[in-house]
Amino acid sequence: MPSASPPDRRAAPAGEGGGGAGTGPALALLAGCQLVLVVDASIVNIALPSVQRGLGFTDAGLSWVVNAYTLAFGGLLLLGGRAGDLLGHRRVFAAGVAVFTAASLAGGLAATPGWLLAARAAQGAGAALAGPGSLALIATTFPDGPRRSRALVVFSVAGNAGMVAGLVLGGLLTAWASWRAVLFVNVPVGVAIVALAPRVLRESPGREGRFDIAGALACTLGSTLLVYGFIRAAERGWHESRTVGAFCGAAALLALFPAVESRARQPIMPLRLFGDRDRVGAFLMRLLLTSAMSGMLFFLTLYVQVVLGYGPLATGFGFLPTTLALITASRAVPRLLRRYGPQPVMAAGAALCVVGMAWLTRVSPDSSYLAMILGPVLLFGAGTGLVAVAATFVAMASVPPGESGAASALLQSMQQIGASLGVAVLVTVDHAAARGAAHGASRVEGMRGAFTAGLAFTVAMLAMALVAFRRRAAGEESTGSHL
């Protein structure tokens, strides 16, 4: 592949200097894009019955309306992040949003199941190009200090709130319009982002060099097989031949990846990013948090609709307290990091998640929303706000500008892999618990088993917070002070 072209310097004055008065529009654009990308991973969930009726999907094929997006997004993130490092993050970001927007339009017009699945996969590919660039552009647009801290909080809130916002928006659009609206809604937003990007975003410096082809193949195929393995495990079980084959292939490729990268002149994933103990801890915290949260939302959605009898719209609004608690807790993170450092903040957030998930293990057929759902979702929302924002701060701290795309892609890969892992594990436990329950109680018993598995993820997250991060010595500058 030819050398990367020189970076495009035709940026609007708003972005020049990184952090002038014009950075507000840049932040709104980047956070808005991240919100849309994450929302699209969940917005179709509530619309799936309507999709099945409209296009004639089989039960097995219907799950791939969600999985096609997840697989492409998770598998291509590392490649998308490194492409931005070499070619310029604004250029790759805008190209990714353009692909995502065109695929959304195509999906909304779909007349056959195959057409819709292809469009969803293309959406995921576009998201994998745009996602890492949006976080990397935060680092290049906003200077160290309070401006960047505020930008990272807004960006993290947008990403994490998107998991819940997708359920609310999906319920609204499906109830008031049709399932096609959950795809068409992306089109005007995407067109606006592509049009505004050259005006409000400053291009990041490109780097002369070539793509690490061997590393790109190993990480892309390995990540794709890993995500596919978790998806397959949730559908067919952990011992099914394709599940085992996917995991074996992923293990082989990802084990080969460090050796390939250590020999590459310009690796797609610089191994020195793993040399910081706190950064590695942040990546793992993100993985465990998303595993617990995705599984919790999956089974709570079922519980509220199947057991409590809520409709799609009421179900979506039932998760709004999660978003409110998440936003409230997130706003406190920069101040808490400056005062206490990352370990206490991570531990406090993980502890809130543990209590919320432990509460959910007590659900019964007679539970009510106020007694059994509201408290846990508030606790989990607050815990997620603390952990997710702190993990983003730590993961991106002191990353060289030329490697911000790789670090951003790795952080977001942990989110995508964690989402697939969490659903796969909790679905497996749900099935096992339901089979062992008395007739008539199997549905709720299965869910209680799933929430118990989710509790294990949150306990692991708390243990990780206590052991993985360096304790701040007296007088030592905390992570939050230089972000």
Side-chain angles (χ1 to χ4, degrees):
M1 184 169 180
S3 299
S5 58
D8 182 4
R9 301 292 183 183
R10 294 174 299 169
E16 295 296 343
T23 54
L27 178 58
L29 186 145
L30 294 171
C33 178
Q34 181 67 4
L35 177 65
V36 170
L37 298 183
V38 177
V39 160
D40 245 67
S42 61
I43 192 172
V44 300
N45 287 5
I46 289 179
L48 288 178
S50 298
V51 173
Q52 186 172 33
R53 290 191 298 269
L55 294 182
F57 270 94
T58 64
D59 289 342
L62 188 64
S63 65
W64 282 96
V65 177
V66 177
N67 293 340
Y69 182 85
T70 302
L71 192 63
F73 193 2
L76 296 173
L77 268 168
L78 294 179
L79 183 61
R82 199 53 172 163
D85 284 337
L86 292 177
L87 301 176
H89 289 296
R90 190 185 70 186
R91 180 181 293 114
V92 175
F93 168 80
V97 174
V99 170
F100 176 85
T101 303
S104 298
L105 178 62
L109 297 172
T112 64
W115 180 345
L116 179 59
L117 294 183
R120 288 289 287 168
Q123 276 187 300
L129 293 175
S134 57
L135 181 53
L137 284 164
I138 293 285
T140 59
T141 302
F142 297 87
D144 288 349
R147 287 183 183 272
R148 186 179 296 180
S149 294
R150 175 177 173 272
L152 285 173
V153 168
V154 172
F155 183 89
S156 298
V157 167
N160 288 283
M163 297 181 68
V164 179
L167 300 176
V168 179
L169 187 58
L172 284 170
L173 292 174
T174 303
W176 294 350
S178 78
W179 66 265
R180 297 181 186 275
V182 305
L183 296 167
F184 285 144
V185 72
N186 297 323
V187 176
V189 178
V191 169
I193 290 173
V194 173
L196 291 174
R199 300 176 180 273
V200 302
L201 298 177
R202 179 168 60 93
E203 180 61 284
S204 62
R207 297 179 64 187
E208 292 295 330
R210 299 178 182 275
F211 278 109
D212 169 21
I213 301 298
L217 288 173
C219 79
T220 300
L221 292 177
S223 299
T224 301
L225 285 173
L226 184 61
V227 174
Y228 176 76
F230 289 130
I231 291 171
R232 189 78 182 182
E235 293 180 343
R236 301 296 178 89
W238 295 85
H239 300 295
E240 194 263 344
S241 58
R242 290 189 184 180
T243 303
V244 174
F247 283 133
C248 288
L253 288 167
L254 295 178
L256 179 66
F257 183 60
V260 172
E261 296 303 271
S262 65
R263 292 174 172 79
R265 293 184 60 184
Q266 290 184 310
I268 195 170
M269 179 53 61
L271 297 181
R272 56 180 164 269
L273 290 176
F274 299 96
D276 184 280
R277 173 179 167 180
D278 285 357
R279 184 177 294 120
V280 172
F283 290 146
L284 294 176
M285 289 289 287
R286 187 70 178 197
L287 174 73
L288 292 168
L289 173 66
T290 313
S291 298
M293 187 174 187
S294 64
M296 181 198 74
L297 290 176
F298 180 85
F299 279 98
L300 269 186
T301 302
L302 290 178
Y303 178 82
V304 171
Q305 292 190 78
V306 174
V307 180
L308 300 186
Y310 284 32
L313 189 58
T315 299
F317 278 108
F319 290 107
L320 274 181
T322 308
T323 304
L324 298 177
L326 190 154
I327 293 172
T328 301
S330 297
R331 295 182 63 182
V333 171
R335 183 178 69 255
L336 294 173
L337 284 177
R338 285 192 294 271
R339 183 169 182 178
Y340 300 109
Q343 186 188 55
V345 177
M346 297 274 199
L352 290 173
C353 292
V354 168
V355 175
M357 194 67 82
W359 194 337
L360 286 174
T361 62
R362 300 175 61 84
V363 295
S364 73
D366 302 321
S367 299
S368 68
Y369 175 84
L370 290 177
M372 188 52 63
I373 307 300
L374 181 59
V377 298
L378 285 171
L379 289 169
F380 213 96
T384 297
L386 293 176
V387 173
V389 177
T392 302
F393 273 49
V394 174
M396 299 303 293
S398 304
V399 173
E403 296 172 2
S404 58
S408 171
L410 186 56
L411 183 66
Q412 294 183 47
S413 292
M414 292 298 101
Q415 179 172 337
Q416 293 301 313
I417 292 170
S420 301
L421 169 63
V423 171
V425 170
L426 268 65
V427 165
T428 302
V429 174
D430 167 68
H431 290 169
R435 284 195 300 269
H439 180 70
S442 60
R443 179 71 281 186
V444 174
E445 285 300 317
M447 292 179 182
R448 290 179 64 176
F451 291 133
T452 301
L455 176 61
F457 278 118
T458 60
V459 170
M461 185 167 60
L462 178 58
M464 181 70 63
L466 295 174
V467 303
F469 296 91
R470 293 179 292 110
R471 294 182 182 274
R472 189 176 57 151
E476 181 183 350
E477 187 183 52
S478 71
T479 302
S481 65
H482 58 80
L483 279 169

